[in-house]
Amino acid sequence: MDVATDARPYSPGLEKVLAGETSIARVDGENGRLTYRGFPIGELVQQGTYAKVAELLWTGEWPETAQLACAPLSGPVLAALRSLPDGTNAMDALRSAISAHGAAQRLTWPPTPEQARAMTALAPSALAAFARLQQGLDVVEPDAELELAAGFLYQLNGELPDDASAKALDAYFIVAAEHGFNASTFTARVITSTQADLVSAVCGAIGALKGPLHGGAPSEVVSQLHEIGSPERAEGWIRDALQRGERLMGFGHRVYRAYDPRAAALRTVAEGMASTADWLKLAVAVEDIALRILAERHPDRPLQTNVEYYTAAVLQGVGLPPALFPATFALARNAGWTAHAIEQASANRLIRPDVRYIGERERTLDQSVVS
Ligand code: COA
């Protein structure tokens, strides 16, 4: 169809386009509400565990006894991790480890909750092993008695985490588990729609999550706050950064126009952690100033705090290095990606949109060679 006569609606970035149906999560951007299968995120954080929430996402059930421990790594996965060069990005490492897992498992389509559980249980062990290998340390075997978040910290540090850290990371895992048709989840659904296996879908999703506009923001929130240094310097620093055309990390969202409910839930978690006290004081002061300046500059476009802002506080508080933040997000989001893959397959239609062609009119190569 000619671009001049093509009257079909086009929305760059698919903004506001309905590209599917889901009964997994509802993201209500106008009112700042997030529910998983109808349950508000705040309630799930207060009363749930990541294992229960993951089961809820995969199956729609709320099994009181659900447990999910980290899985041991197979030979091919360990070999893949050992072969990575020094200084490898943690997201690349996680994607490579999961890819090696897929090569060995040869999963079949359609994806199942069993496949989803296995993938979600494997990823924290892979990331912890990668982090230790990069430091020249031995890999720690998983402890089957520990839940996923605690088990990840144990395998990372080689010692049992304190209760507060394990609970805080579990809360983060719940908050980050699922969020509708974000870029990485949509990627997972596109891949699943081709009848490719779950590992391929998750590897693609990790690739999409790697970008700073999606999953890379929390580590940048840390460097931003380090650079700002004190509340007194915040106003000048923020105005200069915006003047240079830079974006403030941890603010703004494609869907939320109200305060991100995940940021609110994580702020409560961070406030309960002694280890975040100084950092949190600075973060709260800078947040107030940033929101005031953003509102001043964009009176018609509400720009609010997003989940990444307080993610940074919680992940720092449990002792994770910023280089592992995006991959830790991926560990949590595994539940959402795999739940969406299962849902996509259950009523599958190949996802294949149209594109508007804006290039050269049809011409012949012969003419251009002659002229
Ligand atoms: N800091 C400063 N300005 C921002 C901003 C931010 N964090 N987020 C959006 N804006 C501004 C844009 O510059 C744009 O201004 P303009 O109209 O004068 O050009 C306006 O707000 C609209 O932005 P737009 O790019 O259309 O929003 P989006 O829906 O595409 O972007 C994000 C959403 C998340 C990509 C964007 O808000 C952002 O880059 N945030 C920082 C990164 C981040 O925290 N990511 C984690 C997301 S959970």
Side-chain angles (χ1 to χ4, degrees), residues 72-97:
L73 298 175
S74 64
V77 175
L78 266 173
L81 288 171
R82 287 189 200 282
S83 73
L84 295 171
D86 286 350
T88 294
N89 178 292
M91 289 290 268
D92 292 336
L94 187 62
R95 200 190 55 235
S96 306

Side-chain angles (χ1 to χ4, degrees), residues 28 67 83 102 121 135 187 195 200 206 212 217 241 248 262 317 323 334 342:
D28 175 357
Q67 283 190 318
S83 73
Q135 295 171 73
T187 304
Q195 299 195 348
S200 302
I206 294 174
L248 298 182
R262 303 168 300 167
N334 247 318
I342 293 167

Side-chain angles (χ1 to χ4, degrees), residues 217 242 247-252 254 294 298 301 303 306 308:
L242 293 176
R247 291 190 171 200
L248 298 182
M249 290 296 140
F251 297 91
R254 176 59 63 82
L294 286 172
H298 297 276
R301 165 123 184 164
L303 292 171
N306 67 41
E308 311 293 16

Side-chain angles (χ1 to χ4, degrees), residues 1-342:
M1 202 176 295
D2 197 289
V3 65
T5 57
D6 189 350
R8 290 174 299 169
Y10 163 52
S11 175
L14 299 183
E15 196 165 359
K16 298 198 168 65
V17 169
L18 290 175
E21 288 185 324
T22 186
S23 53
I24 300 173
R26 176 160 190 251
V27 183
D28 175 357
E30 287 304 321
N31 298 305
R33 304 283 299 159
L34 170 65
T35 53
Y36 295 171
R37 302 225 184 247
F39 300 112
I41 190 67
E43 222 173 271
L44 292 168
V45 169
Q46 274 167 14
Q47 298 179 33
T49 62
Y50 182 69
K52 290 181 198 172
V53 168
E55 286 297 330
L56 179 72
L57 297 174
W58 292 323
T59 65
E61 303 292 319
W62 182 256
E64 281 298 345
T65 54
Q67 283 190 318
L68 189 63
C70 294
L73 298 175
S74 64
V77 175
L78 266 173
L81 288 171
R82 287 189 200 282
S83 73
L84 295 171
D86 286 350
T88 294
N89 178 292
M91 289 290 268
D92 292 336
L94 187 62
R95 200 190 55 235
S96 306
I98 290 180
S99 194
H101 167 71
Q105 295 285 312
R106 300 182 195 176
L107 297 182
T108 53
W109 194 94
T112 63
E114 291 71 43
Q115 292 177 1
R117 278 180 207 114
M119 170 90 67
T120 308
L122 174 98
S125 303
L127 182 58
F130 160 75
R132 290 184 70 87
L133 288 170
Q134 289 277 306
Q135 295 171 73
L137 300 170
D138 287 338
V139 171
V140 175
E141 288 290 318
D143 180 337
E145 297 298 308
L146 297 174
E147 286 287 320
L148 212 71
F152 171 55
L153 291 174
Y154 167 66
Q155 287 185 86
L156 193 62
N157 301 323
E159 55 188 47
L160 285 174
D162 59 77
D163 264 5
S165 295
K167 279 207 175 90
L169 190 62
D170 194 72
Y172 167 70
F173 274 23
I174 293 172
V175 164
E178 156 60 4
H179 207 236
F181 263 35
N182 54 84
S184 57
T185 301
F186 188 57
T187 304
R189 286 191 77 128
V190 171
I191 294 172
T192 303
S193 83
T194 70
Q195 299 195 348
D197 61 277
L198 189 64
V199 166
S200 302
V202 169
C203 286
I206 294 174
L209 187 68
K210 191 179 168 193
L213 295 189
H214 189 6
S219 46
E220 296 188 41
V221 170
V222 174
S223 33
Q224 185 175 280
L225 282 171
H226 275 308
E227 278 182 43
I228 292 174
S230 72
E232 297 70 44
R233 281 172 38 88
E235 177 122 13
W237 190 96
I238 291 170
R239 287 194 189 280
D240 287 351
L242 293 176
Q243 202 57 42
R244 289 193 300 272
E246 290 171 17
R247 291 190 171 200
L248 298 182
M249 290 296 140
F251 297 91
H253 198 270
R254 176 59 63 82
V255 179
Y256 288 119
R257 294 294 167 260
Y259 202 95
D260 186 334
R262 303 168 300 167
L266 284 182
R267 180 171 166 170
T268 309
V269 172
E271 281 166 355
M273 297 170 74
S275 50
T276 61
D278 288 346
W279 203 85
L280 197 61
K281 231 160 106 188
L282 173 66
V284 169
V286 170
E287 179 187 20
D288 287 344
I289 297 166
L291 289 176
R292 173 166 53 76
I293 296 174
L294 286 172
E296 210 179 86
R297 292 175 66 101
H298 297 276
D300 301 328
R301 165 123 184 164
L303 292 171
Q304 292 284 353
T305 315
N306 67 41
V307 65
E308 311 293 16
Y309 198 74
Y310 286 105
T311 291
V314 172
L315 296 189
Q316 281 230 125
V318 301
L320 288 182
L324 292 186
F325 288 5
T328 305
F329 185 171
L331 303 184
R333 188 51 66 84
N334 247 318
W337 290 333
T338 49
H340 273 273
I342 293 167

